């Protein structure tokens, strides 16, 4: 996975993609993937920040994203290799970087991430950053669970979180 520093001029565009979890909105700029959002996403982007709507098939980056997502959904991919340009504050960026290091099929708690980032008292701040992750699935916020193993706080909905964990063979999560 590549994280690209933001350039001075970026062409933002978006496309709609069907998936086993319902329609996804893919958002990209000239440097990389900015977002993947579910229908009914808890923290959707502003519509005016998505740019022009394009077709996945004619956009090289969005076509690559769609292909890798299809492989993931078909159990043929366990990690993603895409240029990423998520937009957010520095602390959120640190949390999102840590999310990318959670292996396929693994789970981690908000508290464990906070501890790794240097302060176990930051678990709620970590939760807020995880909840604002703009690149669902590729930046695997679905792999983060509560301290008891219960599913909590997924912007795409807890049913989708459970589905993604089941897809990855992460065992039967303690639901809600």
């Amino acid at each position: 996975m590549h994280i690209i520093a933001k350039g001075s001029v970026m062409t933002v565009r978006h496309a709609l993609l069907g998936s086993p979890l319902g329609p996804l909105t893919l958002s990209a700029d000239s440097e990389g993937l900015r977002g993947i959002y579910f229908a009914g996403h808890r923290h959707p982007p502003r519509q005016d920040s998505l740019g022009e709507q394009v077709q996945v098939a004619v956009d090289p980056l969005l076509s690559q994203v769609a292909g890798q997502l299809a492989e993931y959904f078909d159990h043929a991919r366990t990690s993603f290799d895409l240029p990423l340009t998520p937009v957010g504050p520095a602390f959120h960026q640190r949390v999102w970087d840590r999310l990318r290091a959670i292996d396929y099929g693994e789970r981690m708690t908000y508290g464990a991430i906070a501890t790794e980032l240097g302060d176990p008292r930051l678990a709620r701040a970590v939760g807020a950053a995880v909840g604002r992750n703009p690149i669902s699935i590729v930046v695997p916020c679905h792999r983060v669970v509560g301290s008891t193993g219960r599913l909590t706080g997924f912007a795409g909905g807890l049913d989708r979180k459970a589905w993604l964990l089941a897809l990855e063979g992460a065992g039967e999560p303690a639901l809600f």
Side-chain angles (χ1 to χ4, degrees):
M1 227 170 299
H2 313 285
I3 300 173
I4 309 288
K6 279 103 189 134
S8 57
V9 178
M10 289 188 241
T11 305
V12 178
R13 73 253 184 225
H14 74 283
L16 301 178
L17 178 69
S19 84
L21 295 168
L24 300 173
T25 298
L26 310 178
S27 173
D29 59 33
S30 59
E31 303 295 326
L33 181 65
R34 289 171 58 115
I36 299 176
Y37 302 97
F38 297 101
H41 204 90
R42 184 175 298 145
H43 302 289
R46 290 186 344 262
Q47 193 64 32
D48 65 350
S49 72
L50 290 174
E52 172 188 8
Q53 184 170 347
V54 298
Q55 297 300 311
V56 169
V58 299
D59 187 289
L61 174 60
L62 296 179
S63 181
Q64 181 182 15
V65 172
Q68 289 192 22
L69 284 169
E71 291 170 355
Y72 170 80
F73 291 133
D74 287 340
H75 301 279
R77 174 174 289 277
T78 60
S79 63
F80 295 90
D81 182 25
L82 299 163
L84 305 179
T85 56
V87 176
F91 180 75
H92 288 192
Q93 297 283 348
R94 287 181 59 213
V95 171
W96 302 336
D97 285 344
R98 180 58 188 96
L99 295 179
R100 285 189 288 278
I102 303 172
D103 289 333
Y104 181 92
E106 297 296 320
R107 289 192 231 165
M108 183 168 233
T109 66
Y110 300 95
I113 293 172
T115 298
E116 282 188 15
L117 294 178
D119 188 345
R121 297 170 296 178
L122 293 176
R124 287 183 187 218
V126 166
V130 170
R132 294 283 181 173
N133 169 29
I135 308 178
S136 299
I137 305 168
V138 170
V139 176
C141 54
H142 60 277
R143 297 177 186 157
V144 183
V145 296
S147 62
T148 64
R150 290 199 176 280
L151 300 189
T152 61
F154 188 60
L158 293 179
D159 290 344
R160 288 182 178 124
K161 184 172 189 164
W163 190 93
L164 289 164
L165 289 170
L167 173 78
E168 295 183 4
E172 199 58 39
L175 294 176
F176 327 134

